[in-house]
Amino acid sequence: MRAMQHFASDNYAGICPEAAAAFAAANAGHAPAYGEDDWTRRVSDRLRALFDTDCDVYFVFNGTAANSLALAALCQSYHSVVCHELAHVETDECGGPEFFSNGSKLLPARGGNGKLTPAAVLELISRRSDVHYPKPRVVTLTQSTEVGTVYQPYEVAAISACAREHGLRVHMDGARFANAVAALGVAPADITWRAGVDVLCFGGTKMGLPVGEAVVFFDRTLSEDFAYRCKQAGQLASKMRFLSAPWLGILEGEVWLKHARHANAMAQRLAAGVQQVPGAKLLFPVEANGVFCELPEHVLTGLRERGWRFYTFIGAGGARFMCGWDTLPDSVDALLADLRALSA
Amino acid sequence: MRAMQHFASDNYAGICPEAAAAFAAANAGHAPAYGEDDWTRRVSDRLRALFDTDCDVYFVFNGTAANSLALAALCQSYHSVVCHELAHVETDECGGPEFFSNGSKLLPARGGNGKLTPAAVLELISRRSDVHYPKPRVVTLTQSTEVGTVYQPYEVAAISACAREHGLRVHMDGARFANAVAALGVAPADITWRAGVDVLCFGGTKMGLPVGEAVVFFDRTLSEDFAYRCKQAGQLASKMRFLSAPWLGILEGEVWLKHARHANAMAQRLAAGVQQVPGAKLLFPVEANGVFCELPEHVLTGLRERGWRFYTFIGAGGARFMCGWDTLPDSVDALLADLRALSA
Amino acid sequence: MRAMQHFASDNYAGICPEAAAAFAAANAGHAPAYGEDDWTRRVSDRLRALFDTDCDVYFVFNGTAANSLALAALCQSYHSVVCHELAHVETDECGGPEFFSNGSKLLPARGGNGKLTPAAVLELISRRSDVHYPKPRVVTLTQSTEVGTVYQPYEVAAISACAREHGLRVHMDGARFANAVAALGVAPADITWRAGVDVLCFGGTKMGLPVGEAVVFFDRTLSEDFAYRCKQAGQLASKMRFLSAPWLGILEGEVWLKHARHANAMAQRLAAGVQQVPGAKLLFPVEANGVFCELPEHVLTGLRERGWRFYTFIGAGGARFMCGWDTLPDSVDALLADLRALSA
Amino acid sequence: MRAMQHFASDNYAGICPEAAAAFAAANAGHAPAYGEDDWTRRVSDRLRALFDTDCDVYFVFNGTAANSLALAALCQSYHSVVCHELAHVETDECGGPEFFSNGSKLLPARGGNGKLTPAAVLELISRRSDVHYPKPRVVTLTQSTEVGTVYQPYEVAAISACAREHGLRVHMDGARFANAVAALGVAPADITWRAGVDVLCFGGTKMGLPVGEAVVFFDRTLSEDFAYRCKQAGQLASKMRFLSAPWLGILEGEVWLKHARHANAMAQRLAAGVQQVPGAKLLFPVEANGVFCELPEHVLTGLRERGWRFYTFIGAGGARFMCGWDTLPDSVDALLADLRALSA
């Protein structure tokens, strides 16, 4: 019998074959530590090519660190960061951004479908201008969002323009950046630096890597001494090649996009099925790899009894089903079958 | 032609076969994230068995984080940590301990062969007792030390006794703990909790893992909420199984000790050879896997010209040659041959 | 012509005569620094008598520091603090609590009349229990509140009981504690430790002192090493006597309560008058020394044109008029006259 | 009988009459809070005139805060600060600079007579240039030094030149700046910005103020958002006029210099006497207001038994006798008489 797949998180998945192969290939002989190796150099160049610009690239261990370090590089402790109220930095990093920045405050804004708007940003940053309240310094966007939606390039650009006009920098949490690029069918540059993003945290783990994210500075003046920041904060890998090499595996031949498209397609398949289930209701447009839906309590209980794992506290309530690079159509169909059976 | 091996650091080595196999085995299907998986549970139990006590175990990404988080758990910001002046926390973590603890001060002590003594500790902690100077709260030992020596069990116990008598906790930086255990031929418990150590940072990377260290709390009252601390500080791996599973590979059948004994033996082979080289002088007793020696400037230059990589700024000067789990006798002999040729 | 009094803040007032006299008296000859002087000892004892318990007392420079240091003593960086959404720690300390605690998150709760309730606290602390969100550790109450209301002893006790049941500590921001005691007519102990408060920040500046607040630990286990914390954070006064002595001036003969009663009475006088002004509406019950009211825009503008200073952004909107120990009935009447004239 | 004067610290002295008068004068009616008052504006202008340049001025509560905030404004957490090993920031601020900067490391240098030299600075900052060690970013000088000596303008300029050449900023701890200016007979500008100092912490408390120091930024690009930094760190006084007004009292008519000259003269008187005492030995040139001398143990004990208070652990050992603005010749003579009697 095949082991069950889960929809709890795209990080329940393992390592994709292409990343695994690159990882194994990197394990040959000696290599200089701390990122002075060839693998890291090659991947960095590859990312610069991908983004079509001479950006600065750093590899760190996870998303909490990537986001927190990037924000700390943009902020002093008395600054504040405008984020969506459902943003991961606000809801799921246990105060990581506040810790790394030594106290920068997050200012949560509301917004439909998990997205910030220029108006919401503006409202927050113009509310106060006295020293008794932290000075707004950064806007952070999550692309794709925590509720499975995607910012259009013009939406990112509009928020960036508003930010820049008021002296704020723009950070993008791209834990699921691949899914957004796959969904939009645009060049990565078009929803990052060309749309005004200063720094992107490009998620690797959810794309099929074992560990690690890339912090990509499009404005290189912001990454001054960032290597020191990483080192001090326990985010400089000694055997860096094992963080960087797997990226090569998925960047070659657009494997990362292939996987992201697949995950998105599985989410569409699931969403289509959910819409046929009586009593089930999609909570957000399904644009990337997550499906959020309202389900009766007995259905939620029943799914759990049948062994399915998923979260209900993330985002705006409801049940969250995440699809990954490895989600099988059969798994989606099995979940749908159980959903239908329980809802009958 | 075989690629050259280096003696710059034991982290230039790749992943040992046993760890690589366990890593690959862990990549099967879905597994709960953030350490809720079976691999992590099994390794934790395995470590408890190894240490023969019901300790608390956490896996973090690297040594800077392991040491800094452990010290932060023992200290408040206004406390201080007694360390040897050559300790890694003082010389090579870019202020990591100060960052994680929000300002705890390191108090460097001198001591022969890279080792602290009760007298040196006592001198430092009794110098001041006013609020204008940070209050000593922890003694940290490095086992094996930064200069390749090893604390005997009675030496650890004597320092611990001194610490405890004055209300201080004892932390052990065990980035090369395996080499010390291999050198001493004792049970791991005998140079840790039975000798008064409260928390050990057990190095995995230098033992042949791709990434990750274990923080082992022998006094479990000290690890209260440590999971939160790890999460906030960006040290909770989502796909934790890839950090934990490789430990299984090396803990099974005492593979870790086998590798450590090999590295130590290679250091002995190198040391024995160095002693035959005119003009070369061993700086410290060679008790673990590192060889420090004074060499004439033209020899250092010559070695570098021939492609050897090694450090000269670490520890108390001189050239440092580190042996790893994979160091080949041939590599040692080739290095010695070059040494002899250059010294002739 | 007499200089105009303002209603912008009770800290626009100067030093009350009794505090000024004690300050001057303290300026005689040499005295040991850093709190080792007789004045500081006497005031500490006097505060212990006032609170009828053997509490630990520390004097710091201002309210931001008092609250932030006290919270930092109760929290680790990965903990959180439940506060009212209008609490000063959340809205007017520029991220001070986050800075001093190195990242503790404030969890703002709603509640009528600026007050927390056990239900609101419970809702916040039971929302999450995973390591991805900071662990609730403290409830902070403001007495009297930011909107001029006062917690009854049973209200404080109910919140404390709820907090304690869930392993949380209770902190009271008493920047205007005197006004609350005066309003309630209770013993200070009755709304602090007897009602479950662990630590009180007792405001001095707004009571008529030049500078300084007292941090009063009723649970002395929580103040371990607090002197070090103050010193490191730049809150240990060298000439401490000038912070402590003025307290003697106002503690003698219950001068502090006399002043607080006066300020409260002036607020009542103002509130009574406001209720007669057409178009003006009191926003909160006037229980201490602040009056919040909704006024038409042209009235606000008119008042400012006539030279009155007051805030409109504090609390829940509306105009805030604060009365102090020195507010003259004539000033209140002059303000009311202008209010009436502008509203006519 | 007259109360005894002490030589333990210049902060055992009270408030000088001129500061006390200004303090009392400031206590008239209402004034805007948080530094928006006229007193603060006037003093700031007065300080700009004194330094003959358009500097930025901030008033904070004490020296620990002044130094720590200024250094935090110049550093990120992964930077380091070169200081003399006897500097107050290193030895007597309980890790304040590390706390405010969230981990910046102090690099202590040796140097005769408590003074740094360009060579000592250079040695420290050129020792390492890898990311495993904090990057040097600031040199801090103490003027006058912790051992009662004074940097000549050319000495300050030489260190500044060396710092600037290597990308470092220059901070001056001026807790006893007045004594240095008085000793040198130069314009304040000549040993600050004209000699390359970027920011000065100008001590007020030891000059006869009740509380407070001024942070003076000569390079105004460094003080961007410094008001936020002060606020967040609990260093923005609400009744600011009581911190600032006393400065007016001592700046008028060069009262501050008069007092400093007097304190220096008392130190000379004491030093002259000490040199006549058999067995007593001056440890450093007496150039400001402190006298350090080696005394036999029985003399130290005898002085303490006769009621004298002084420190023996500060600086490089020996007994420290500090003279203040109010030290009486009679007190000096009484101390000398006891010294002679005990040494006979």
Side-chain angles (χ1 to χ4, degrees):
Chain A
M1 197 197 104
R2 192 175 44 73
M4 196 165 189
Q5 285 200 315
H6 293 292
F7 293 84
S9 175
D10 25 4
N11 59 32
Y12 273 46
I15 311 171
C16 69
E18 299 87 352
F23 183 92
N27 192 23
H30 277 196
Y34 303 115
E36 300 298 310
D37 63 284
D38 283 340
W39 295 93
T40 304
R41 254 188 295 269
R42 283 167 58 199
V43 181
S44 300
D45 286 343
R46 193 70 192 71
L47 283 168
R48 278 185 275 270
L50 178 71
F51 284 101
D52 198 18
T53 186
D54 193 22
C55 47
D56 247 11
V57 177
Y58 299 85
F59 297 96
V60 299
F61 293 114
N62 70 7
T64 301
N67 286 325
S68 299
L69 285 168
L71 292 174
L74 305 185
C75 279
Q76 294 294 308
S77 58
Y78 45 80
H79 285 143
S80 57
V81 175
V82 178
C83 65
H84 193 277
E85 61 178 350
L86 299 178
H88 205 259
V89 289
E90 168 67 11
T91 66
D92 284 279
E93 288 173 359
C94 196
E98 294 92 335
F99 174 75
F100 281 82
S101 65
N102 199 19
S104 301
K105 206 174 179 77
L106 301 182
L107 307 183
R110 298 186 175 181
N113 292 334
K115 293 197 262 183
L116 287 176
T117 59
V121 172
L122 198 56
E123 197 276 325
L124 264 182
I125 65 180
S126 52
R127 200 181 278 175
R128 296 276 293 267
S129 64
D130 58 294
V131 300
H132 304 271
Y133 202 67
K135 185 177 177 177
R137 186 81 179 119
V138 183
V139 175
T140 176
L141 305 173
T142 308
Q143 175 76 313
S144 58
T145 74
E146 295 298 325
V147 296
T149 56
V150 170
Y151 284 96
Q152 295 295 320
Y154 74 88
E155 292 177 307
V156 175
I159 291 169
S160 295
C162 167
R164 209 153 309 271
E165 194 182 338
H166 294 84
L168 280 74
R169 295 298 195 157
V170 182
H171 164 262
M172 180 172 277
D173 176 350
R176 296 184 183 96
F177 183 72
N179 303 95
V181 173
L184 291 166
V186 298
D190 289 344
I191 49 166
T192 54
W193 64 273
R194 286 200 195 112
V197 173
D198 294 302
V199 55
L200 166 72
C201 295
F202 190 176
T205 317
K206 293 189 171 77
M207 283 201 294
L209 305 194
V211 59
E213 320 281 296
V215 184
V216 183
F217 284 93
F218 301 111
D219 180 343
R220 299 181 66 155
T221 63
L222 298 173
S223 57
E224 196 198 346
D225 291 340
F226 193 72
Y228 286 90
R229 191 181 290 279
C230 291
K231 169 66 195 180
Q232 181 180 41
Q235 292 290 331
L236 180 61
S238 55
K239 297 183 176 176
M240 181 69 92
R241 53 175 153 162
F242 298 115
L243 256 77
S244 57
W247 282 86
L248 266 194
I250 59 167
L251 290 175
E252 284 307 311
E254 300 208 329
V255 165
W256 67 290
L257 274 178
K258 187 188 71 176
H259 286 328
R261 278 189 212 108
H262 171 78
N264 291 0
M266 290 300 98
Q268 289 298 336
R269 184 186 191 103
L270 178 56
V274 163
Q275 287 178 297
Q276 310 305 320
V277 176
K281 194 184 128 200
L282 291 180
L283 290 167
F284 302 101
V286 176
E287 299 172 354
N289 63 323
V291 178
F292 288 74
C293 54
E294 211 175 283
L295 293 171
E297 198 57 40
H298 77 276
V299 175
L300 295 173
T301 309
L303 286 175
R304 291 209 169 93
E305 283 167 2
R306 292 176 184 218
W308 297 104
R309 296 184 72 143
F310 54 92
Y311 289 111
T312 45
F313 71 84
I314 290 175
R320 184 187 82 161
F321 300 99
M322 298 304 294
C323 299
W325 66 267
D326 67 342
T327 301
L328 296 170
D330 281 1
S331 297
V332 173
D333 295 346
L335 174 63
L336 284 169
D338 280 348
L339 260 179
R340 279 189 298 264
L342 289 160
S343 303
Chain B
M1 195 197 106
R2 193 174 45 72
M4 195 164 190
Q5 286 199 316
H6 293 292
F7 293 84
S9 175
D10 25 4
N11 59 32
Y12 273 46
I15 310 170
C16 69
E18 299 87 350
F23 183 93
N27 192 23
H30 277 197
Y34 302 115
E36 300 298 310
D37 64 283
D38 283 340
W39 295 94
T40 304
R41 254 188 294 269
R42 283 167 57 199
V43 181
S44 299
D45 287 343
R46 193 72 190 69
L47 283 168
R48 278 185 275 271
L50 178 70
F51 284 102
D52 197 17
T53 186
D54 192 22
C55 48
D56 246 10
V57 177
Y58 299 85
F59 297 95
V60 300
F61 292 114
N62 70 6
T64 301
N67 286 325
S68 299
L69 284 169
L71 292 174
L74 305 186
C75 280
Q76 295 294 307
S77 59
Y78 44 80
H79 285 144
S80 57
V81 175
V82 177
C83 65
H84 193 277
E85 63 179 349
L86 299 177
H88 205 259
V89 288
E90 167 67 10
T91 65
D92 283 279
E93 288 174 358
C94 196
E98 293 91 337
F99 174 75
F100 281 83
S101 65
N102 199 21
S104 301
K105 206 172 179 77
L106 301 181
L107 308 184
R110 297 188 175 178
N113 292 335
K115 293 198 262 183
L116 287 177
T117 59
V121 171
L122 198 57
E123 197 276 323
L124 264 181
I125 64 179
S126 52
R127 201 182 278 175
R128 296 274 294 266
S129 64
D130 57 293
V131 300
H132 304 271
Y133 202 66
K135 185 177 178 176
R137 186 82 179 119
V138 183
V139 175
T140 175
L141 307 173
T142 308
Q143 175 78 312
S144 55
T145 75
E146 295 299 323
V147 297
T149 56
V150 170
Y151 284 97
Q152 294 295 319
Y154 75 87
E155 292 177 308
V156 176
I159 292 169
S160 295
C162 168
R164 209 153 309 270
E165 193 183 340
H166 294 83
L168 279 74
R169 295 298 195 158
V170 181
H171 163 262
M172 181 172 278
D173 176 351
R176 297 184 183 95
F177 183 73
N179 303 96
V181 173
L184 292 166
V186 296
D190 290 343
I191 50 167
T192 55
W193 64 273
R194 286 200 195 111
V197 173
D198 293 303
V199 54
L200 166 72
C201 294
F202 190 177
T205 316
K206 292 188 170 79
M207 282 201 294
L209 304 195
V211 58
E213 320 280 296
V215 184
V216 184
F217 285 93
F218 300 112
D219 180 342
R220 301 181 66 155
T221 64
L222 297 173
S223 57
E224 195 199 344
D225 292 339
F226 194 72
Y228 285 90
R229 191 181 291 278
C230 291
K231 169 65 194 181
Q232 181 180 42
Q235 292 290 332
L236 179 61
S238 56
K239 297 183 177 176
M240 181 70 91
R241 54 176 153 163
F242 298 115
L243 255 78
S244 57
W247 283 86
L248 265 194
I250 59 168
L251 290 175
E252 284 306 311
E254 298 207 330
V255 164
W256 66 290
L257 274 178
K258 186 189 71 176
H259 286 329
R261 277 188 212 110
H262 172 79
N264 291 1
M266 290 301 98
Q268 290 297 337
R269 185 186 190 102
L270 178 56
V274 163
Q275 287 178 296
Q276 311 304 320
V277 177
K281 192 184 129 200
L282 291 180
L283 290 166
F284 302 102
V286 177
E287 299 172 353
N289 64 322
V291 178
F292 288 73
C293 54
E294 211 176 283
L295 293 170
E297 198 56 40
H298 77 275
V299 176
L300 296 172
T301 309
L303 286 175
R304 291 212 168 90
E305 283 168 2
R306 292 177 183 217
W308 297 104
R309 297 185 71 142
F310 54 92
Y311 289 110
T312 46
F313 71 86
I314 290 176
R320 184 186 84 161
F321 301 99
M322 297 304 293
C323 300
W325 65 268
D326 67 340
T327 301
L328 297 169
D330 281 1
S331 297
V332 173
D333 296 345
L335 175 63
L336 284 169
D338 280 348
L339 261 178
R340 279 189 298 264
L342 289 160
S343 303
Chain C
M1 195 196 106
R2 191 173 45 72
M4 195 162 189
Q5 286 200 316
H6 293 293
F7 293 84
S9 175
D10 25 3
N11 59 32
Y12 274 46
I15 310 170
C16 70
E18 298 87 350
F23 183 93
N27 191 23
H30 277 197
Y34 303 116
E36 300 298 310
D37 63 283
D38 284 340
W39 296 93
T40 304
R41 254 189 294 270
R42 283 167 59 199
V43 181
S44 299
D45 287 342
R46 193 70 192 69
L47 282 168
R48 279 185 275 270
L50 178 70
F51 284 101
D52 197 17
T53 186
D54 192 22
C55 47
D56 246 11
V57 178
Y58 300 84
F59 298 95
V60 299
F61 292 116
N62 70 7
T64 301
N67 286 326
S68 299
L69 285 169
L71 292 174
L74 305 186
C75 281
Q76 294 295 307
S77 60
Y78 45 79
H79 285 143
S80 57
V81 176
V82 178
C83 65
H84 193 277
E85 63 179 348
L86 299 178
H88 205 258
V89 288
E90 167 68 11
T91 66
D92 283 278
E93 287 173 0
C94 197
E98 293 92 337
F99 174 75
F100 280 83
S101 64
N102 199 20
S104 303
K105 207 172 179 77
L106 301 182
L107 307 184
R110 296 186 176 181
N113 292 335
K115 293 197 261 184
L116 287 176
T117 59
V121 170
L122 197 56
E123 198 276 324
L124 264 181
I125 65 180
S126 51
R127 201 182 279 175
R128 297 274 293 267
S129 64
D130 57 294
V131 301
H132 304 271
Y133 202 67
K135 184 177 178 177
R137 187 81 179 119
V138 183
V139 176
T140 175
L141 306 173
T142 309
Q143 175 78 311
S144 56
T145 75
E146 294 299 324
V147 297
T149 56
V150 169
Y151 284 96
Q152 295 294 320
Y154 74 87
E155 292 177 308
V156 175
I159 291 169
S160 295
C162 168
R164 208 154 308 272
E165 194 182 338
H166 294 83
L168 279 74
R169 295 299 194 156
V170 182
H171 164 262
M172 181 172 277
D173 175 351
R176 296 185 184 95
F177 183 72
N179 303 97
V181 174
L184 291 167
V186 297
D190 289 344
I191 50 166
T192 55
W193 64 274
R194 283 196 197 116
V197 173
D198 293 303
V199 54
L200 166 72
C201 295
F202 191 176
T205 317
K206 292 189 171 77
M207 283 201 294
L209 305 194
V211 58
E213 321 280 296
V215 184
V216 183
F217 284 93
F218 300 112
D219 181 341
R220 300 181 67 155
T221 64
L222 298 173
S223 56
E224 196 198 344
D225 292 339
F226 194 72
Y228 285 89
R229 192 181 289 278
C230 291
K231 169 65 193 181
Q232 181 181 42
Q235 292 290 332
L236 180 60
S238 55
K239 297 183 176 175
M240 182 68 92
R241 54 176 152 162
F242 298 116
L243 255 77
S244 57
W247 283 86
L248 265 194
I250 59 168
L251 289 175
E252 285 306 312
E254 299 207 329
V255 163
W256 66 290
L257 275 178
K258 185 188 73 178
H259 286 329
R261 278 189 212 109
H262 171 78
N264 291 1
M266 290 299 99
Q268 290 297 339
R269 184 186 191 104
L270 178 56
V274 163
Q275 286 178 297
Q276 311 305 321
V277 177
K281 192 184 127 199
L282 291 180
L283 290 166
F284 301 101
V286 177
E287 298 172 356
N289 64 323
V291 178
F292 288 74
C293 54
E294 210 175 284
L295 293 171
E297 198 56 42
H298 78 274
V299 176
L300 296 172
T301 309
L303 286 175
R304 291 212 168 90
E305 283 168 2
R306 291 176 184 218
W308 297 104
R309 296 185 72 143
F310 53 93
Y311 289 110
T312 46
F313 71 85
I314 290 176
R320 184 187 82 161
F321 300 99
M322 298 305 294
C323 299
W325 65 267
D326 67 340
T327 301
L328 298 170
D330 281 2
S331 297
V332 173
D333 296 345
L335 175 63
L336 283 169
D338 280 348
L339 260 179
R340 279 189 298 264
L342 289 160
S343 302
Chain D
M1 195 198 106
R2 190 176 46 74
M4 195 163 189
Q5 285 199 315
H6 293 292
F7 293 84
S9 175
D10 24 3
N11 58 32
Y12 274 46
I15 311 170
C16 70
E18 298 87 351
F23 183 93
N27 191 23
H30 277 197
Y34 302 115
E36 299 299 309
D37 64 284
D38 283 342
W39 295 94
T40 304
R41 254 189 293 271
R42 284 166 59 198
V43 180
S44 300
D45 287 344
R46 193 71 192 69
L47 282 168
R48 279 185 275 270
L50 178 70
F51 284 101
D52 197 17
T53 188
D54 192 22
C55 47
D56 247 10
V57 178
Y58 299 85
F59 297 96
V60 299
F61 292 116
N62 69 7
T64 301
N67 286 325
S68 299
L69 285 168
L71 292 173
L74 304 185
C75 280
Q76 295 294 308
S77 59
Y78 45 81
H79 285 143
S80 57
V81 175
V82 177
C83 65
H84 193 277
E85 61 178 350
L86 299 178
H88 204 260
V89 288
E90 168 67 11
T91 65
D92 284 279
E93 287 174 359
C94 196
E98 293 91 337
F99 174 75
F100 280 83
S101 65
N102 198 21
S104 302
K105 207 172 178 79
L106 301 182
L107 307 183
R110 297 185 175 183
N113 291 334
K115 293 198 262 184
L116 287 176
T117 59
V121 170
L122 198 55
E123 197 276 323
L124 264 181
I125 65 180
S126 51
R127 201 182 279 176
R128 296 275 293 267
S129 64
D130 56 295
V131 301
H132 304 271
Y133 202 67
K135 185 177 178 177
R137 186 80 180 121
V138 183
V139 175
T140 175
L141 306 173
T142 308
Q143 176 76 314
S144 57
T145 75
E146 295 299 324
V147 297
T149 57
V150 170
Y151 284 96
Q152 294 296 319
Y154 74 87
E155 292 177 308
V156 176
I159 291 169
S160 296
C162 168
R164 208 154 310 271
E165 194 181 338
H166 294 84
L168 280 73
R169 296 299 195 156
V170 182
H171 164 262
M172 181 172 276
D173 176 351
R176 296 185 183 95
F177 183 73
N179 302 96
V181 174
L184 292 166
V186 296
D190 289 344
I191 49 166
T192 56
W193 64 272
R194 285 199 195 112
V197 174
D198 293 303
V199 54
L200 166 72
C201 294
F202 191 177
T205 317
K206 292 189 170 79
M207 282 201 296
L209 305 195
V211 58
E213 320 281 296
V215 184
V216 183
F217 284 93
F218 299 113
D219 180 342
R220 299 182 66 156
T221 63
L222 298 173
S223 58
E224 196 199 343
D225 292 338
F226 194 72
Y228 285 89
R229 192 181 289 278
C230 291
K231 169 66 194 180
Q232 181 181 41
Q235 293 290 332
L236 180 61
S238 55
K239 297 183 177 176
M240 182 69 91
R241 54 176 152 160
F242 299 115
L243 255 77
S244 57
W247 282 87
L248 266 194
I250 60 168
L251 290 175
E252 286 305 312
E254 300 206 329
V255 164
W256 67 290
L257 275 178
K258 186 188 72 177
H259 286 329
R261 279 188 211 110
H262 171 77
N264 291 0
M266 290 301 97
Q268 290 297 339
R269 184 186 191 105
L270 177 56
V274 163
Q275 288 178 296
Q276 310 305 319
V277 176
K281 192 183 128 200
L282 291 181
L283 290 167
F284 301 102
V286 177
E287 298 172 356
N289 64 323
V291 178
F292 288 74
C293 53
E294 211 176 282
L295 293 169
E297 198 56 41
H298 77 275
V299 175
L300 295 172
T301 309
L303 286 176
R304 290 212 168 91
E305 283 168 1
R306 291 175 184 219
W308 296 104
R309 296 185 71 143
F310 54 91
Y311 288 111
T312 45
F313 71 85
I314 289 176
R320 185 187 82 161
F321 300 98
M322 297 305 293
C323 300
W325 65 267
D326 67 340
T327 301
L328 298 169
D330 281 2
S331 298
V332 173
D333 296 346
L335 175 64
L336 284 169
D338 280 347
L339 261 179
R340 280 189 297 264
L342 289 160
S343 303

